Amino acid sequence: MSDQAKDERAPSEAETAEANVERTEGSIDGDYEALVRLLKENEELKDRALRVAAEMENLRRRTARDVHDARTYAVANFARDMLSVSDNLRRALDAIPAEAKASGDAGFKALIEGVDLTERAMLSALERHGVKKLAPEGEKFDPNFHQAMFEVPNPDVPANTVVQVVQPGYSIGERVLRPAMVGVAKGGPKIAADAPVEPGPVNEQAEKDA
């Protein structure tokens, strides 16, 4: 091969080598960009999966709470209506004169006992379904559970103490089914570390039940 041919061939081989290097570098750059893109997509998928898992957990908790509330408060309206029946039974018993109760009439005595047993059975049935009686005499007045009907001047009793229960209240679960109607002491010494009772959170479901 002549020297001229060798000179012509040399640049071609150099260009080929340079082109191979450029292709190699381009391949590395392409692989790096692909890796970065895959890592980014992986992070996005992980973030999306975490959000879906959090949403599912929140849904599970809401569902469990709704099921619990449905079980606990499903009878709220029915129980409230039954309280009126119980009140009427108690009024009937209270309206009987003491002389009539002591008269010894067997039929009348059986009637009184029947009404009394009916009232107690009804309250017992309500209690089995989560309804609790509120009879707060001697307790501190709580506006979340009690309704003040009047004040009673009494310097011997700490102010803001329930001294008389006009009508017992009832609660179901953590909700007030009916507040207790009470008389509150006025003029006595303040209860130690007496602080105003903060009203509890508004219970939207209770308002709907009402």
Side-chain angles (χ1 to χ4, degrees), residues 95-171:
I96 300 174
E99 298 79 9
K101 293 180 180 179
S103 64
D105 184 272
F108 192 64
K109 185 177 180 180
L111 176 61
I112 295 174
E113 291 177 351
V115 174
D116 184 56
L117 286 173
T118 301
E119 182 203 22
R120 282 189 288 172
M122 180 174 293
L123 292 178
S124 178
L126 290 173
E127 187 173 355
R128 287 197 300 272
H129 287 83
V131 178
K132 296 181 180 180
K133 188 175 183 179
L134 303 176
E137 187 170 352
E139 298 177 6
K140 182 180 177 182
F141 175 77
D142 185 346
N144 296 310
F145 295 94
H146 314 147
Q147 181 177 345
M149 305 302 293
F150 52 85
E151 292 182 321
V152 180
N154 190 337
D156 299 326
V157 178
N160 216 30
T161 299
V162 176
V163 293
Q164 184 178 347
V165 178
V166 179
Q167 184 182 62
Y170 292 87
S171 64

Side-chain angles (χ1 to χ4, degrees), residues 35-51:
L35 178 61
V36 171
R37 184 173 64 255
L38 289 174
L39 289 174
K40 184 178 180 181
E41 291 176 355
N42 184 53
E43 288 297 323
E44 291 176 352
L45 290 173
K46 285 172 61 179
D47 183 64
R48 188 181 306 169
L50 289 174
R51 286 200 302 270

Side-chain angles (χ1 to χ4, degrees), residues 7-24:
D7 291 340
E8 291 177 353
R9 182 181 176 185
S12 176
E13 292 177 351
E15 290 174 358
T16 301
E18 184 177 353
N20 288 336
V21 171
E22 290 178 353
R23 282 198 298 272
T24 301

Side-chain angles (χ1 to χ4, degrees), residues 53-85:
E55 290 175 358
M56 291 301 296
E57 179 62 17
N58 290 335
L59 177 61
R60 185 191 67 79
R61 290 178 180 176
R62 285 197 301 270
T63 302
R65 185 175 62 249
D66 290 344
V67 170
H68 174 268
D69 288 350
R71 288 175 178 173
T72 304
Y73 304 114
V75 298
N77 289 333
F78 174 76
R80 189 178 291 109
D81 290 340
M82 290 301 97
L83 291 180
S84 299
V85 179

